[in-house]
Amino acid sequence: MLEITDPEVFALSGEKYHPIIDYSGNPKHYVEGILFELTEQELLNADKYEVDDYKRV
């Protein structure tokens, strides 16, 4: 869980902590879900949406 310090996010979600995926590089660690293919522009738009507490790697 990641502590969110942005007051707007906290006001919208009512949650101080949000889940994140912490990639360790270990192939035994994985997350089940759906993989979406994004264009470069879509990825940049997603980055604008996220607050500074998050870091895309």
Side-chain angles (χ1 to χ4, degrees):
M1 299 297 277
L2 175 70
E3 182 177 1
I4 300 297
T5 59
D6 187 295
E8 288 184 39
V9 174
F10 180 75
L12 287 171
S13 70
E15 301 289 333
K16 186 175 184 175
Y17 294 93
H18 289 223
I20 62 167
I21 298 172
D22 184 10
Y23 180 67
S24 67
N26 184 335
K28 293 183 180 181
H29 297 171
Y30 63 93
V31 175
E32 291 186 25
I34 299 172
L35 176 64
F36 292 95
E37 185 173 336
L38 301 175
T39 66
E40 185 66 27
Q41 187 59 51
E42 290 168 329
L43 190 55
L44 291 171
N45 288 342
D47 286 342
K48 291 178 193 174
Y49 169 81
E50 295 295 358
V51 294
D52 291 340
D53 296 312
Y54 284 99
K55 178 182 176 186
R56 179 172 54 87
V57 180

